[in-house]
Amino acid sequence: MEDTFAACIALGRSLDFEEEHSRQDARLAALLFDQTSGLHGLDDGCRDLLMCAGLLHDIGYVEGYEEHHKTAYRYIMKAKLPGLSEREKRLVANIARYHRGGRPKASHEGLAGLEPEEREIVETLGALLRLADGLDRTHTDAVKDLEVWLDGARMVVVVECPLGCDTELWAGEKKGRWLGEVLGVDLSVRESEQLA
């Protein structure tokens, strides 16, 4: 998969993407994926797709902010990404597309060719990426680490921010609502020192 990740970075650089933010979102999304595996039950192949989507989610900025998530979908679908089948590329494009904006609907063009279980993968991974994106709202890598605490139907994402991260907490709460619904938990985001 390293070649595929390298191809994602190369594509992003060719479109002048914000590399540090994209790497941070991919890293945070992978941490969230790993620590919620008991809830979503997805395999490592899905984790790789999430990493690719995290690296590429903002490449649509090349055409401006408005609808950059849809633009990212188009660019990913046109790209040559070694190591990904056409099906996997379609999944990555959809995951990136749903990091913001509306949630997936069967009527959306990009979802039309996907099987129901593939749509579920897009929904789960898209929700994880959306939360990760919220946790880097200021694009400053404020969140150095995170830990997911599960207590029945309650999930707390505890973030470590040595220099503070009020904006990330706010955006994480807002963008994490969808993940809470997907996983069937009441999700909140807290800074580690708030719990001390």
Side-chain angles (χ1 to χ4, degrees):
M1 241 2 234
E2 290 308 314
D3 288 347
T4 305
F5 297 149
C8 290
I9 295 290
L11 174 60
R13 287 176 179 165
S14 75
L15 297 168
D16 199 28
F17 79 149
E18 200 173 337
E19 186 169 341
E20 291 309 311
H21 168 66
S22 298
R23 286 181 183 271
Q24 172 76 338
D25 277 11
R27 183 181 75 82
L28 294 175
L31 288 170
L32 290 164
F33 179 95
D34 293 344
Q35 295 185 45
T36 58
S37 62
L39 295 174
H40 60 65
L42 298 174
D43 63 20
D44 286 347
C46 288
R47 185 184 192 274
D48 291 339
L49 299 178
L50 177 60
M51 290 286 293
C52 290
L55 292 170
L56 295 171
H57 74 286
D58 275 348
I59 61 173
Y61 275 124
V62 71
E63 293 183 13
Y65 176 77
E66 291 302 315
E67 300 197 351
H68 73 272
H69 53 303
K70 295 178 184 177
T71 305
Y73 170 88
R74 283 190 290 105
Y75 275 92
I76 294 167
M77 288 302 295
K78 290 181 201 173
K80 286 183 173 52
L81 296 171
L84 293 183
S85 67
E86 283 301 310
R87 172 195 167 273
E88 291 169 329
K89 186 167 72 169
R90 182 177 298 277
L91 290 172
V92 168
N94 275 290
I95 296 160
R97 185 252 188 263
Y98 292 107
H99 83 276
R100 69 177 298 271
R103 297 179 187 179
K105 293 182 182 170
S107 60
H108 289 169
E109 180 184 343
L111 293 176
L114 298 180
E115 297 296 325
E117 62 273 9
E118 293 172 324
R119 281 191 227 119
E120 288 179 23
I121 289 169
V122 167
E123 187 153 355
T124 301
L125 299 183
L128 285 164
L129 181 55
R130 189 176 291 209
L131 171 54
D133 190 49
L135 295 177
D136 195 40
R137 176 70 176 184
T138 58
H139 295 208
T140 59
D141 295 345
V143 174
K144 299 306 176 196
D145 200 5
L146 64 80
E147 186 176 351
V148 175
W149 295 356
L150 292 169
D151 180 16
R154 187 168 174 253
M155 180 171 123
V156 181
V157 179
V158 182
V159 296
E160 182 185 320
C161 308
L163 301 177
C165 56
D166 289 345
T167 302
E168 278 71 18
L169 294 174
W170 169 80
E173 287 273 337
K174 180 180 175 189
K175 295 189 91 171
R177 288 184 196 128
W178 181 27
L179 181 62
E181 291 172 22
V182 168
L183 298 179
V185 295
D186 179 22
L187 188 149
S188 60
V189 180
R190 298 287 177 266
E191 191 173 356
S192 55
E193 63 184 36
Q194 292 176 330
L195 301 172

